[in-house]
Amino acid sequence: RFASAGDDGIVFLWNAQTGEKLTELHGHTQKITAIAPFSSSDASEEKNHLILTASADRTVIVWDCSTGRQVQKVSCFHSTVKCLTVLPRLDVWLSGGSNLCVWNRKLDLLCKTSHLTDAGISALVELPKNCVATAVGKELIIFRLIVSDDESEGWNVQEVKRLVDHQDNILSLVSVNDSTFVTGSHVGELIVWDALDWTKQAFECNFWDSAIHPDVQPEIKLSQSTNETSVQHLTSDEECVFAAVGKGIYVYNLQMKRVIACQRNAHDSSVLHIEKLPNRQLISCSEDGSVRIWELREKQQLPAEPVPTGFFNMWGFGRANRQTNQAAKKVQENTPMYFLELVGDLIGHSSAVQMFLYFGELGLATCSADHLIVLWKDGERESRLRSLTLFQKLAQNGDLLQLKF
C-alpha cells in the first residue's frame, strides 16, 4: 500500500499492485505539507500501521491505515509543520516548523526549541548519538535529544552547533550512513559532513570546472539562472551521492570526492526527485512531466563527445594549462570513467511530476501536478504473468490438452 496527499487536504490510501483506491482520509482543511509512516511498537498489541500528516492548517493528524479512522489530532502549532521524522529507536517523533518539537507516541509534547525563524525548518535528518540535523534557511543547526533527569519519559532538546558554510538556502538533506550526511543548496553547493563531529569532509560548488576532460573547451555562460544550479533533491548509497541539480543528474563519489558521471540535461526542466535502484539504475522525474530511468555504466573508452561533470562554471574562458592536462590524463588512466545512459522514458503526465515511489517488482507510482497518480509496471514481467494466468485458466477449463517444452 501507499498513501498520497494533495493540496486539497485529502489523503488517499492505494493498493500498489492493482491501483485500487482503498480509502480516503478527511480531516485537514488546507494542503498537506508532510507525511510519514508511524508503526506502533507496542508488543502487547497487534501491530498498527499508522501515518502522520501535517498541513498548512497548522495541525498534525495520526491516522490508522487499517480502519481509515483519525486516531488523534494536534492543533497547538503556531506555524505550518514542514517536515516530520519518526525516531523508532527513541520511540519519539519530531515536527519541524518555526521550531523543533519532540513528541511521544501518545502525542504528548515532550519538549521544543525556542522560535528559530519565520521561514522555519525545511528538512531534518537523524544523526548518531541522539542528534538531528535541521535545515533552517542557509544554516544547518544540530540538536541533541537528552533524557530528563527525572524518571519520567521526558526529553530535553538542546542546540549544540550551528553550521553556516552554505551561501544560500539549504534545499536538500540526506543521510548516507552512520558517519556521513550531505546537504545541497539553492546555488549549487554540495557539502559532505561528518555525522559524528559535524565537520566538513568535502565541498563541491564548481562541478563544471572538472579536470576529467581538460581538453574540452568550456562553454561560455555570461549569466546563469539559479534554477540551473539548484540542488533540488539528493539520494545516496554507500559509495555515491546522486544529486538532482537544475535539469541535470550528477553522481558524486564519496571516496574520490568528485563527480564521476553526469547528465547535464537529463530533462527539459528542473529535476524534482531522484531515487537509486538496487541494480545500478536511477529514476528521475521533472517539472517537464517526464519520468526517466538511467543506468550507471563504466566507459570502455573515451567518447567522441565527452560529458562535462560540473554545473556551476559561470565564467569559463580558455583551455586548462598543459600541466593540468597532464595531471588530469594520469588521473584518467587510473580512474574508471562512468556515464549515465537513458534506458527508459515513461510518458504519461501532462504537468510537473513531483515525486514517485518505487515498489520493485510491483512497479512504480508517480504523482503529478496534473492531479493524476499513474501506476507503472514492468511490461515484460506483466506479459509473462498474463501468459501464465492464461495457461492456468486454459488448463483448468480443459482447453489446453498438451503443452510441451
Side-chain angles (χ1 to χ4, degrees):
R1 293 179 298 178
F2 68 96
S4 64
D7 288 352
D8 55 10
I10 305 172
V11 180
F12 293 104
L13 299 182
W14 307 87
N15 183 315
Q17 189 165 7
T18 65
E20 176 192 3
K21 184 172 70 174
L22 302 175
T23 188
E24 298 182 18
L25 308 180
H26 293 265
H28 290 295
T29 59
Q30 295 185 43
K31 69 177 182 179
I32 309 293
T33 54
I35 186 168
F38 187 58
S39 296
S40 171
S41 63
D42 192 343
S44 63
E45 299 178 7
E46 185 179 346
K47 189 173 182 179
N48 293 324
H49 292 281
L50 310 175
I51 57 172
L52 288 166
T53 57
S55 167
D57 62 13
R58 299 184 180 182
T59 64
V60 169
I61 299 178
V62 182
W63 306 90
D64 187 326
C65 294
S66 302
T67 63
R69 69 181 180 88
Q70 191 178 124
V71 177
Q72 201 163 343
K73 187 174 187 177
V74 182
S75 307
C76 62
F77 298 99
H78 300 295
S79 65
T80 300
V81 172
K82 296 181 178 180
C83 46
L84 297 166
T85 298
V86 179
L87 308 182
R89 186 175 56 83
L90 302 181
D91 210 27
V92 298
W93 60 277
L94 311 177
S95 63
S98 59
N99 52 22
L100 179 68
C101 299
V102 183
W103 309 80
N104 64 13
R105 292 189 173 272
K106 300 175 184 176
L107 270 66
D108 299 320
L109 179 60
L110 304 179
C111 58
K112 66 177 182 178
T113 65
S114 58
H115 183 86
L116 297 171
T117 63
D118 291 334
I121 298 169
S122 58
L124 60 90
V125 67
E126 182 180 8
L127 301 180
K129 298 181 179 179
N130 295 357
C131 291
V132 292
T134 61
V136 184
K138 63 179 70 174
E139 288 187 317
L140 192 64
I141 307 179
I142 310 296
F143 293 98
R144 176 176 279 122
L145 275 64
I146 303 170
V147 181
S148 298
D149 294 334
D150 54 29
E151 296 182 358
S152 69
E153 61 171 339
W155 291 85
N156 291 320
V157 59
Q158 176 185 2
E159 179 183 324
V160 291
K161 195 159 189 178
R162 288 194 178 221
L163 305 167
V164 291
D165 298 76
H166 280 290
Q167 301 301 309
D168 206 337
N169 289 342
I170 300 169
L171 298 185
S172 44
L173 178 60
V174 66
S175 175
V176 177
N177 49 43
D178 287 341
S179 61
T180 307
F181 70 100
V182 182
T183 53
S185 81
H186 187 60
V187 293
E189 304 156 307
L190 183 82
I191 300 181
V192 182
W193 302 91
D194 188 301
L196 297 172
D197 61 11
W198 320 304
T199 55
K200 274 198 301 186
Q201 292 183 338
F203 176 78
E204 189 68 74
C205 68
N206 204 19
F207 289 165
W208 273 347
D209 228 1
S210 174
I212 292 180
H213 302 297
D215 295 327
V216 177
Q217 179 71 37
E219 61 181 63
I220 299 173
K221 295 181 75 72
L222 296 179
S223 63
Q224 190 147 5
S225 165
T226 51
N227 289 336
E228 293 182 24
T229 61
S230 179
V231 184
Q232 291 292 130
H233 189 242
L234 294 169
T235 189
S236 72
D237 57 17
E238 287 291 323
E239 296 179 17
C240 297
V241 173
F242 306 89
V245 186
K247 301 176 183 179
I249 301 171
Y250 295 80
V251 183
Y252 182 87
N253 186 282
L254 291 165
Q255 186 174 6
M256 299 179 195
K257 296 184 178 178
R258 65 176 181 85
V259 172
I260 60 169
C262 83
Q263 275 288 346
R264 198 171 64 199
N265 292 298
H267 292 266
D268 294 330
S269 298
S270 294
V271 182
L272 301 180
H273 192 82
I274 55 173
E275 205 67 53
K276 172 71 167 59
L277 305 187
N279 50 356
R280 296 183 72 82
Q281 290 187 338
L282 281 169
I283 301 179
S284 60
C285 63
S286 167
E287 282 182 348
D288 63 15
S290 64
V291 181
R292 290 177 175 169
I293 304 173
W294 309 86
E295 188 167 314
L296 183 64
R297 294 183 177 174
E298 190 169 338
K299 290 181 181 176
Q300 301 302 317
Q301 57 187 7
L302 285 176
E305 294 182 17
V307 180
T309 58
F311 66 86
F312 197 54
N313 186 11
M314 294 181 66
W315 308 98
F317 299 99
R319 295 178 180 270
N321 61 44
R322 185 174 297 175
Q323 187 176 359
T324 305
N325 287 353
Q326 292 171 349
K329 285 175 182 175
K330 289 180 181 178
V331 171
Q332 200 172 33
E333 289 172 3
N334 300 325
T335 305
M337 302 293 292
Y338 297 89
F339 67 101
L340 286 169
E341 181 174 350
L342 181 65
V343 294
D345 204 348
L346 311 183
I347 308 298
H349 288 290
S350 60
S351 190
V353 182
Q354 296 147 326
M355 194 184 160
F356 56 83
L357 293 174
Y358 176 69
F359 296 100
E361 287 194 344
L362 290 182
L364 183 75
T366 57
C367 68
S368 167
D370 61 11
H371 306 169
L372 293 179
I373 289 177
V374 178
L375 203 60
W376 307 84
K377 299 289 185 179
D378 183 323
E380 292 183 7
R381 177 178 176 274
E382 291 300 307
S383 179
R384 288 197 303 271
L385 291 175
R386 283 194 295 270
S387 298
L388 181 61
T389 303
L390 176 62
F391 281 126
Q392 288 172 343
K393 285 184 178 180
L394 288 172
Q396 289 171 1
N397 296 335
D399 297 331
L400 187 65
L401 298 176
Q402 190 175 9
L403 184 64
K404 293 183 179 179
F405 290 94

